């Protein structure tokens, strides 16, 4: 085997890390959309659905997590299958005018 031969005996895994900062410009609209998303999700068990609805009511900023779709990011990429995905959304301190924010965000 040479260094240009493809490795086909085992899958190779790659961890992709993405950091996004989203500005919520209409919290009520986001919350309503998240509630609709959760209520219409045919794959959620009823207890999971109830927990998700309660979490949205308690902290609407978590509503954004219901729109994250890792399959959509990689679904159309040839030769790639999503093996695992986790994500969360949380409040963050962000100042778009602070040029040093990016340096500190990865600490």
């Amino acid at each position: 085997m040479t260094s240009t031969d493809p490795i086909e005996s085992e899958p190779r895994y790659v961890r992709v890390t993405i950091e996004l900062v989203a500005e919520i410009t209409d919290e009520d609209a986001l919350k309503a959309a998240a509630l609709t998303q959760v209520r219409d999700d045919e794959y959620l068990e009823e207890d999971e659905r109830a927990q998700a609805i309660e979490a949205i009511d308690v902290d609407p900023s978590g509503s954004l997590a219901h729109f994250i779709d890792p399959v959509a990011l990689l679904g159309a990429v040839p030769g790639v299958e999503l093996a695992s995905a986790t994500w969360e959304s949380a409040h963050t301190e962000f100042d778009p005018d602070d040029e040093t924010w990016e340096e500190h965000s990865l600490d």
Side-chain angles (χ1 to χ4, degrees), residues 10-57:
E10 295 182 30
R12 296 188 305 183
Y13 297 95
V14 176
R15 180 181 306 270
V16 178
T17 303
I18 299 171
E19 182 173 329
L20 304 171
V21 175
E23 178 182 3
I24 298 174
T25 58
D26 187 338
E27 192 169 303
D28 291 335
L30 175 61
K31 180 179 175 179
L35 288 170
T36 299
Q37 179 92 356
V38 167
R39 288 185 180 123
D40 293 346
D41 188 336
E42 62 188 62
Y43 298 108
L44 277 179
E45 299 288 332
E46 286 307 312
D47 60 330
E48 292 174 315
R49 186 182 324 279
Q51 289 174 3
I53 290 170
E54 183 179 341
I56 291 168
D57 285 335

Side-chain angles (χ1 to χ4, degrees), residues 3-107:
S3 63
T4 59
D5 291 337
I7 299 173
E8 296 183 25
S9 62
E10 295 182 30
R12 296 188 305 183
Y13 297 95
V14 176
R15 180 181 306 270
V16 178
T17 303
I18 299 171
E19 182 173 329
L20 304 171
V21 175
E23 178 182 3
I24 298 174
T25 58
D26 187 338
E27 192 169 303
D28 291 335
L30 175 61
K31 180 179 175 179
L35 288 170
T36 299
Q37 179 92 356
V38 167
R39 288 185 180 123
D40 293 346
D41 188 336
E42 62 188 62
Y43 298 108
L44 277 179
E45 299 288 332
E46 286 307 312
D47 60 330
E48 292 174 315
R49 186 182 324 279
Q51 289 174 3
I53 290 170
E54 183 179 341
I56 291 168
D57 285 335
V58 170
D59 184 9
S61 68
S63 300
L64 187 58
H66 295 285
F67 296 97
I68 306 301
D69 186 357
V71 174
L73 290 172
L74 296 177
V77 178
V80 175
E81 183 176 320
L82 181 64
S84 175
T86 61
W87 64 96
E88 66 180 45
S89 61
H91 287 282
T92 187
E93 296 297 322
F94 176 72
D95 178 0
D97 297 324
D98 183 359
E99 294 177 11
T100 64
W101 185 84
E102 186 174 304
E103 296 169 12
H104 300 293
S105 66
L106 299 177
D107 291 342

